[in-house]
Amino acid sequence: MHTKEEKLQEFGRLLEILDRLREECPWDKEQTFDSLRSLTVEETFELADAIFSKDMLLIKKELGDVLLHVLFYSKIGDESGEFDILDVCKSLCDKLIYRHPHVFGQIEANNAQTVSQNWEKLKLKEKDGNHSVLAGVPRTLPALIKAYRIQDKARSAGFDWEQPQQVWEKVKEELGELQTEIDSMNADKMEVEFGDLLFSVINAARLYGINPENALERTNRKFIKRFNYLENNTLTKGIDLKKMSLAQMDKIWEEAKNAE
């Protein structure tokens, strides 16, 4: 692998390239925090997709795109006199040292759970940090990921089930409440109870060490693969999918499952 000196040299070259782009490229000249924001979100999702696929070459590429955005925001901050990349790095270094007293201080933490609990406590003590446990959960996170993060942060504050299996009673309770509202066909209450059911199922995944986002994405991709198989097998035979019976479609669906 590369030496620290080589890494620093290439990082410096990247900063020089960005400086020149900001000065000479018409598109780069026009970018602002607001104009880059949606692109940053897109690049982050592309990185997440590459990580899910375990494609190392693609992960490397997408990391570069995300890094470019970090440097671009820092460059804009530098131009406005608010901060630069040194300030960003210094702030991060200071935070990492402060939140790892078991590494840089005298605190003992022998497992990941203790580290996580200490991390949240230290965040609450920071002058410019979060003043409540859940304040650090971004409002714009997708709902499924947000639910998982909310539950995980609540756990770090000691708010959690004593045993994982206890959550299943909550899942059953929420399912029963949803069924009650479905029977009464109250659309608003059905939505509320459906949300409660999803929240409890996500909580169950967390308690059993399952990332619900990854689990759902695996199912999404599995469904797409099987549906494409179904669609292709009907098109090649000149059969209209809409005119097939459920039993006919299910037969091809089972073929798709067996072919995996």
Side-chain angles (χ1 to χ4, degrees), residues 25 41 44 61 74 99 112-113 117 119 129 134 137 140 151 171 177 179 181 192 197 215 238 251:
C25 174
V41 173
T44 304
K61 172 184 173 296
S74 300
R99 293 188 187 175
Q113 183 175 353
Q117 290 174 344
W119 180 281
L134 301 181
V137 180
T140 54
Q151 295 162 2
V171 172
E177 291 177 1
Q179 187 61 60
E181 299 307 332
V192 170
L197 175 61
K251 182 179 179 181

Short mmCIF file of all heavy atoms in Angstrom, two decimals, residues 25 41 44 61 74 99 112-113 117 119 129 134 137 140 151 171 177 179 181 192 197 215 238 251:
data_model
loop_
_atom_site.label_atom_id
_atom_site.label_comp_id
_atom_site.label_asym_id
_atom_site.label_seq_id
_atom_site.Cartn_x
_atom_site.Cartn_y
_atom_site.Cartn_z
N CYS A 25 -13.22 26.56 -14.66
CA CYS A 25 -14.34 25.82 -15.23
C CYS A 25 -15.65 26.57 -15.01
O CYS A 25 -16.00 26.87 -13.86
CB CYS A 25 -14.43 24.42 -14.60
SG CYS A 25 -15.89 23.49 -15.12
N VAL A 41 -26.37 14.18 -2.06
CA VAL A 41 -27.29 13.10 -1.65
C VAL A 41 -27.22 11.96 -2.65
O VAL A 41 -27.13 10.78 -2.28
CB VAL A 41 -28.74 13.63 -1.53
CG1 VAL A 41 -29.70 12.48 -1.27
CG2 VAL A 41 -28.83 14.66 -0.41
N THR A 44 -23.98 10.01 -2.37
CA THR A 44 -23.98 9.19 -1.15
C THR A 44 -24.75 7.90 -1.38
O THR A 44 -24.31 6.82 -0.95
CB THR A 44 -24.57 9.97 0.03
OG1 THR A 44 -23.85 11.20 0.20
CG2 THR A 44 -24.48 9.16 1.32
N LYS A 61 -14.36 4.42 -6.68
CA LYS A 61 -14.81 5.53 -7.53
C LYS A 61 -15.80 6.42 -6.80
O LYS A 61 -15.67 7.65 -6.81
CB LYS A 61 -15.46 4.97 -8.80
CG LYS A 61 -16.13 6.01 -9.67
CD LYS A 61 -16.84 5.38 -10.84
CE LYS A 61 -17.65 6.39 -11.63
NZ LYS A 61 -18.76 6.99 -10.83
N SER A 74 -15.71 22.70 1.33
CA SER A 74 -14.65 23.36 2.08
C SER A 74 -14.07 24.53 1.29
O SER A 74 -13.72 25.57 1.86
CB SER A 74 -13.55 22.35 2.42
OG SER A 74 -14.06 21.29 3.20
N ARG A 99 -14.08 12.11 21.75
CA ARG A 99 -15.08 11.06 21.88
C ARG A 99 -14.47 9.66 22.02
O ARG A 99 -15.20 8.68 22.10
CB ARG A 99 -16.05 11.09 20.69
CG ARG A 99 -16.91 12.34 20.66
CD ARG A 99 -17.97 12.24 19.60
NE ARG A 99 -18.71 13.50 19.46
CZ ARG A 99 -19.65 13.71 18.53
NH1 ARG A 99 -19.96 12.74 17.68
NH2 ARG A 99 -20.25 14.87 18.45
N ALA A 112 -17.82 -2.71 22.20
CA ALA A 112 -18.39 -1.70 21.30
C ALA A 112 -19.60 -1.00 21.92
O ALA A 112 -19.81 0.20 21.69
CB ALA A 112 -18.79 -2.34 19.97
N GLN A 113 -20.38 -1.73 22.71
CA GLN A 113 -21.58 -1.13 23.31
C GLN A 113 -21.20 -0.03 24.29
O GLN A 113 -21.82 1.04 24.31
CB GLN A 113 -22.41 -2.20 24.02
CG GLN A 113 -23.71 -1.65 24.62
CD GLN A 113 -24.59 -2.74 25.21
OE1 GLN A 113 -24.30 -3.92 25.07
NE2 GLN A 113 -25.65 -2.33 25.87
N GLN A 117 -22.17 3.97 24.05
CA GLN A 117 -22.85 4.69 25.13
C GLN A 117 -22.05 5.91 25.56
O GLN A 117 -22.62 6.99 25.76
CB GLN A 117 -23.07 3.74 26.32
CG GLN A 117 -24.11 2.67 26.05
CD GLN A 117 -24.21 1.64 27.17
OE1 GLN A 117 -23.31 1.54 28.01
NE2 GLN A 117 -25.29 0.89 27.19
N TRP A 119 -19.95 7.53 23.71
CA TRP A 119 -20.00 8.46 22.57
C TRP A 119 -21.22 9.38 22.69
O TRP A 119 -21.10 10.60 22.54
CB TRP A 119 -20.04 7.65 21.29
CG TRP A 119 -20.09 8.44 20.01
CD1 TRP A 119 -21.19 9.03 19.46
CD2 TRP A 119 -19.00 8.71 19.12
NE1 TRP A 119 -20.86 9.65 18.27
CE2 TRP A 119 -19.52 9.47 18.04
CE3 TRP A 119 -17.66 8.36 19.11
CZ2 TRP A 119 -18.74 9.89 16.99
CZ3 TRP A 119 -16.87 8.80 18.04
CH2 TRP A 119 -17.41 9.54 17.01
N GLY A 129 -22.71 20.72 20.59
CA GLY A 129 -23.23 19.42 20.20
C GLY A 129 -24.73 19.30 20.38
O GLY A 129 -25.44 20.29 20.60
N LEU A 134 -31.74 12.20 20.66
CA LEU A 134 -32.23 12.00 19.30
C LEU A 134 -32.01 13.20 18.38
O LEU A 134 -32.36 13.15 17.21
CB LEU A 134 -33.72 11.65 19.33
CG LEU A 134 -34.10 10.40 20.12
CD1 LEU A 134 -35.61 10.16 20.04
CD2 LEU A 134 -33.34 9.18 19.62
N VAL A 137 -30.21 12.78 14.87
CA VAL A 137 -30.78 12.01 13.76
C VAL A 137 -31.30 12.99 12.71
O VAL A 137 -32.24 13.73 12.97
CB VAL A 137 -31.94 11.10 14.24
CG1 VAL A 137 -32.52 10.31 13.07
CG2 VAL A 137 -31.45 10.16 15.34
N THR A 140 -34.02 14.52 7.39
CA THR A 140 -34.22 14.14 5.99
C THR A 140 -33.81 12.70 5.67
O THR A 140 -33.88 12.29 4.53
CB THR A 140 -33.41 15.09 5.08
OG1 THR A 140 -32.04 15.10 5.50
CG2 THR A 140 -33.96 16.50 5.13
N GLN A 151 -33.90 4.18 17.17
CA GLN A 151 -33.90 3.06 18.11
C GLN A 151 -32.49 2.80 18.65
O GLN A 151 -32.31 2.51 19.85
CB GLN A 151 -34.46 1.82 17.43
CG GLN A 151 -35.93 1.94 17.06
CD GLN A 151 -36.36 0.93 16.02
OE1 GLN A 151 -35.57 0.08 15.58
NE2 GLN A 151 -37.61 0.99 15.62
N VAL A 171 -44.57 -6.62 18.53
CA VAL A 171 -44.92 -6.80 17.11
C VAL A 171 -46.34 -7.35 17.00
O VAL A 171 -47.14 -6.87 16.18
CB VAL A 171 -43.91 -7.73 16.41
CG1 VAL A 171 -44.38 -8.06 14.99
CG2 VAL A 171 -42.53 -7.09 16.36
N GLU A 177 -53.48 -4.22 16.57
CA GLU A 177 -54.06 -2.88 16.50
C GLU A 177 -54.28 -2.46 15.04
O GLU A 177 -55.28 -1.78 14.73
CB GLU A 177 -53.14 -1.89 17.21
CG GLU A 177 -53.10 -2.10 18.73
CD GLU A 177 -52.14 -1.17 19.44
OE1 GLU A 177 -51.51 -0.33 18.74
OE2 GLU A 177 -52.01 -1.27 20.67
N GLN A 179 -54.92 -4.56 12.57
CA GLN A 179 -56.06 -5.35 12.10
C GLN A 179 -57.37 -4.73 12.55
O GLN A 179 -58.35 -4.70 11.79
CB GLN A 179 -55.96 -6.79 12.63
CG GLN A 179 -57.02 -7.72 12.05
CD GLN A 179 -56.93 -7.84 10.54
OE1 GLN A 179 -55.90 -8.27 10.02
NE2 GLN A 179 -57.98 -7.47 9.83
N GLU A 181 -58.00 -1.54 13.01
CA GLU A 181 -58.28 -0.36 12.18
C GLU A 181 -58.62 -0.76 10.74
O GLU A 181 -59.41 -0.08 10.08
CB GLU A 181 -57.08 0.59 12.20
CG GLU A 181 -56.72 1.13 13.56
CD GLU A 181 -57.90 1.77 14.29
OE1 GLU A 181 -58.82 2.28 13.62
OE2 GLU A 181 -57.89 1.77 15.53
N VAL A 192 -51.42 5.12 10.70
CA VAL A 192 -50.71 5.27 11.97
C VAL A 192 -50.29 3.92 12.51
O VAL A 192 -49.13 3.71 12.91
CB VAL A 192 -51.59 6.01 13.01
CG1 VAL A 192 -50.95 5.93 14.39
CG2 VAL A 192 -51.81 7.45 12.59
N LEU A 197 -46.41 -0.71 13.37
CA LEU A 197 -46.02 -2.09 13.09
C LEU A 197 -44.63 -2.13 12.44
O LEU A 197 -43.77 -2.92 12.85
CB LEU A 197 -47.05 -2.76 12.18
CG LEU A 197 -46.69 -4.18 11.71
CD1 LEU A 197 -46.54 -5.13 12.90
CD2 LEU A 197 -47.75 -4.70 10.74
N ALA A 215 -31.44 -5.77 4.65
CA ALA A 215 -32.34 -6.91 4.50
C ALA A 215 -33.41 -6.61 3.45
O ALA A 215 -33.71 -7.45 2.58
CB ALA A 215 -33.00 -7.24 5.84
N GLY A 238 -44.49 -14.79 -26.35
CA GLY A 238 -45.59 -14.00 -26.89
C GLY A 238 -46.81 -13.99 -26.00
O GLY A 238 -47.94 -13.79 -26.47
N LYS A 251 -46.14 -20.50 -11.26
CA LYS A 251 -45.33 -21.61 -11.76
C LYS A 251 -43.98 -21.11 -12.28
O LYS A 251 -42.92 -21.69 -11.99
CB LYS A 251 -46.09 -22.35 -12.86
CG LYS A 251 -45.34 -23.56 -13.40
CD LYS A 251 -46.14 -24.26 -14.48
CE LYS A 251 -45.37 -25.47 -15.03
NZ LYS A 251 -46.13 -26.17 -16.09
#
